[in-house]
Amino acid sequence: MEGKKEKYSEKEKKVGEIEKRKESEKPDGRGMLAEEGSSRAPVVDLSAIERAVRGGAKKEVKVSIASRITSIFSDEIALSEADVAPLFDSLELSLLEADVAYDVCVEMVSELKKSLIGRRVSKKRIGEEVKKAVGEVLAKTMTTGKEFDLVQRIKGTQKPAKILFVGPNGAGKTTTIAKMADLLKRNSLSVLFSASDTFRAAAIEQMQVHADKLDVKMVKSDYGSDPAAVAFDAVNYARAHNFDVVLIDSAGRQETNKNLIDELKKIVRVVKPDLKIYVGESFGGNPIIGQIGEFDKAVGLDGVILTKLDCDAKGGSAISVARATHVPVLYVGVGQEYADLKRFEPLEVARGILE
Ligand SMILES: Nc1nc2c(ncn2[C@@H]2O[C@H](COP(=O)(O)OP(=O)(O)OP(=O)(O)O)[C@@H](O)[C@H]2O)c(=O)[nH]1
Ligand SMILES: [Mg+2]
């Protein structure tokens, strides 16, 4: 408990420094997603990190006098802590500023130290070497080793593949299911919806609208009926009619509501989904990490989809989730159109941040 308190005060101290720095810096308008007038935001922006690394490459990785003296007769230098310390400070602040979870941020900086200090680099390529190291650490942080290609996974699963979507209220589960159906159909897979949110007013009609637009069949029942029974019927229907995939919706719920989590466990017991996917908002910040952990404990998650990245000025959750929860981020939602579901590719994201 004491340790946690210290950690927070440390974070608060750092955030205070950021605020001071922000006031002293003249705003240049960068680092904001979905700027006025721009029609489509990049998938993950995190320009704060880009700024730190670019700044580091151009001016902050100043080779210390000691390093300069020892490398007088060589084209290479071995980076010392003194050479890269300003970059670490600047990067750490930028990660916190971008809402990367505190522990993840500390781990990243420590990995970067290990990777950079002592590294022999060409005097002319210090900036590039530093950027490469940051990119590698970023990509590694966003990877769990349990990533998979959803379409291939479904194609390799006995028909019908059953996928359950879980998560808090309003996170984008139903919309994501519709986007996913569109994607799966484009990959020649036949899709059936299970309207297993029998709780929220208009949830069934909302799903029916998507089913009609996408020309997808849907199994439904009355409001108040058992969501597990609806999912069970949907799976049987899919089996009888040779569907490839059943996408099972569920009512939004908080991880702290025991009754609703028990209801979710019942759906899992009854239909034994092949995949359980958590859908959460990308701007959930640090609380989303704990929430994913609780859902994972309750039902065992196979993947995460982060929605509304088009509205997220920071993007830090996309960096933190894999490292902090060990559940892979599979896709991100970047808008309200069906095509606005993008695969989450750590290497590409890291490259995009640093380009
Ligand atoms: N901008 C943006 N909006 C999104 C995205 N994904 C979902 N939404 C919007 O978020 C709102 C809630 O989406 P739903 O799909 O109804 O969320 P839900 O999790 O099913 O909500 P409940 O069933 O009430 O728990 C809708 O207005 C969606 O259009 C996204 O990636 N970007
Ligand atoms: Mg819904």
Side-chain angles (χ1 to χ4, degrees), residues 60 62-63 82 113-115 122 170 175 200 211 222 225 229 284 322:
E60 291 184 35
K62 275 193 194 135
V63 176
K113 273 187 186 166
K114 267 193 222 139
S115 156
S122 150
T175 312
R200 182 175 59 75
D222 299 326
S225 61

Side-chain angles (χ1 to χ4, degrees), residues 149-171:
D149 181 311
L150 189 82
V151 173
Q152 291 313 317
R153 175 67 73 88
I154 291 171
K155 286 184 175 169
T157 300
Q158 199 183 3
K159 274 188 186 188
K162 299 159 278 179
I163 310 182
L164 173 65
F165 293 77
V166 304
N169 307 73

Side-chain angles (χ1 to χ4, degrees), residues 104-128:
V104 173
C105 163
V106 170
E107 272 181 47
M108 280 178 72
V109 171
S110 142
E111 278 172 34
L112 203 57
K113 273 187 186 166
K114 267 193 222 139
S115 156
L116 279 176
I117 296 173
R119 189 188 282 217
R120 297 196 67 81
V121 295
S122 150
K123 281 181 194 164
K124 290 183 195 130
R125 301 186 58 241
I126 298 174
E128 279 161 61

Side-chain angles (χ1 to χ4, degrees), residues 56-106:
K58 283 194 185 139
K59 53 180 196 282
E60 291 184 35
V61 182
K62 275 193 194 135
V63 176
S64 63
I65 293 177
S67 295
R68 259 187 275 156
I69 292 172
T70 52
S71 72
I72 280 176
F73 302 109
S74 160
D75 288 339
E76 285 190 334
I77 59 156
L79 290 173
S80 71
E81 179 142 17
D83 297 333
V84 282
L87 167 71
F88 293 146
D89 282 351
S90 160
L91 186 66
E92 201 169 5
L93 292 178
S94 302
L95 290 167
L96 287 173
E97 193 181 32
D99 255 0
V100 175
Y102 184 75
D103 290 348
V104 173
C105 163
V106 170

